[in-house]
Amino acid sequence: MSTDIPLPAHRWPTLEPGWVWLCGAGPGDPGLLTLHAVNALRQADVVIYDALVQEQILTWAPQAEHIYAGKRGGKPSAKQRDISLRLVDLARAGKRVLRLKGGDPFVFGRGGEEAQTLVQHGIPIRIIPGISAGIGGLAYAGIPVTHRDVNQSVTFVTGHDQSGNTPSSLDWRSISKGSQVIVIYMGMKHIAQIAAQLIDAGRSPHEPVAVVTTATTDDQEVLETTLGTIVDDIAKAALAPPAIICIGQSVLMRQVLDWQSMAAGHAPRNLDPLGRGRPAESA
């Protein structure tokens, strides 16, 4: 992509000196950036980016300084306070600052914390939403997070809190009983504990589960398993984070909606994976 290619006609906002724009970079595929994100990349003096932001995206801001501020579990990472205050310092220095975060900055991305810090220090901000991996990543795997024949609710949860442990504030029994489909971010490390709690709360060990790693990228892998066998199956498949985990009957829809496999010339595995016995358009 060239910065010489003009954006479509629109009243595009100007990233002014001293401002910080908090922007979602989407789940991985650079093509999933919004046009507002591209506009921001073209104007920034500094891009502070997370671990899951693809390198290709950074090449779209050749004029900017690129500062890595990734945080990955189990690896040395920048402290959140230091990242937030770095944004303040750069803005006060008159820089046009783009804070680029994987997925959506307000979905388990600490975007709210960073934005609050900036506002408390008198720094003007703009929020640019992004496609969250819990929706876009599953869509690339052929899994709809909502499907009329399956669910009228979906719950998004994080698999660990700021301490690295499974969030103690989550009521897994209520989640188990109250949500037809559960999407878990950052849940690989504690999946054994999470699966056990859900089964104890009444979810069937035979319930379909999908694990999607490095979603929407060329390295994407998808494991279809069940709640009762997920721990062993992840180990056998040697999967590693980042991953999105989807629990519920909507996982079965991948048998008919695995569009990437079909694009490669493979036939769908099952045209009626939910066993409804009627055409989809009659739903």
Side-chain angles (χ1 to χ4, degrees):
M1 177 178 178
S2 170
T3 54
D4 294 332
I5 301 173
L7 288 168
H10 180 66
R11 291 188 303 166
W12 297 106
T14 299
L15 176 49
E16 301 285 356
W19 279 66
V20 177
W21 287 6
L22 291 96
C23 176
D29 183 344
L32 295 177
L33 261 71
T34 65
L35 291 178
H36 275 304
V38 174
N39 177 52
L41 285 163
R42 293 183 175 187
Q43 299 183 67
D45 296 319
V46 182
V47 178
I48 300 186
Y49 64 98
D50 281 350
L52 300 182
V53 174
Q54 297 294 301
E55 287 293 328
Q56 181 184 345
I57 292 173
L58 298 176
T59 68
W60 297 350
Q63 80 291 343
E65 178 185 2
H66 301 162
I67 300 175
Y68 178 72
K71 297 166 66 102
R72 297 297 300 274
K75 298 181 180 180
S77 302
K79 290 181 170 35
Q80 184 59 52
R81 180 177 183 275
D82 293 338
I83 295 172
S84 297
L85 293 180
R86 184 81 178 274
L87 295 171
V88 172
D89 291 341
L90 288 167
R92 285 179 172 169
K95 301 292 186 181
R96 300 173 179 86
V97 184
L98 177 61
R99 177 66 169 116
L100 197 59
K101 305 174 77 69
D104 181 281
F106 280 3
V107 180
F108 302 126
R110 294 197 168 182
E113 298 169 46
E114 293 177 8
Q116 184 179 13
T117 296
L118 289 163
V119 173
Q120 288 177 340
H121 285 79
I123 306 299
I125 65 170
R126 183 184 183 96
I127 308 300
I128 301 175
I131 296 174
S132 178
I135 298 174
L138 292 176
Y140 261 49
I143 300 170
V145 292
T146 67
H147 185 69
R148 187 172 180 179
D149 285 333
V150 171
N151 63 316
Q152 292 73 47
S153 67
V154 58
T155 298
F156 298 96
V157 301
T158 178
H160 69 76
D161 57 20
Q162 59 188 6
S163 70
N165 299 316
T166 303
S168 58
S169 60
L170 288 179
D171 185 340
W172 289 103
R173 184 166 296 277
S174 295
I175 292 171
S176 173
K177 294 182 179 300
S179 184
Q180 295 147 308
V181 172
I182 304 169
V183 177
I184 305 173
Y185 292 69
M186 299 171 286
M188 289 274 278
K189 181 179 179 181
H190 301 299
I191 190 57
Q193 178 184 350
I194 293 170
Q197 288 179 304
L198 289 173
I199 291 172
D200 287 346
R203 302 292 280 225
S204 169
H206 304 294
E207 185 166 18
V209 179
V211 182
V212 185
T213 65
T214 55
T216 78
T217 72
D218 291 340
D219 297 321
Q220 174 179 295
E221 294 185 70
V222 183
L223 170 68
E224 295 177 51
T225 179
T226 67
L227 199 56
T229 61
I230 185 172
V231 177
D232 289 341
D233 288 345
I234 285 176
K236 289 176 185 175
L239 296 183
I244 287 289
I245 300 171
C246 182
I247 302 169
Q249 295 297 309
S250 63
V251 169
L252 297 176
M253 291 299 294
R254 186 168 192 265
Q255 297 174 22
V256 67
L257 299 180
D258 184 1
W259 59 273
Q260 290 182 320
S261 178
M262 288 186 280
H266 302 287
R269 287 174 283 159
N270 187 346
L271 294 177
D272 186 20
L274 299 177
R276 294 299 190 244
R278 51 176 167 72
E281 66 270 16
S282 65

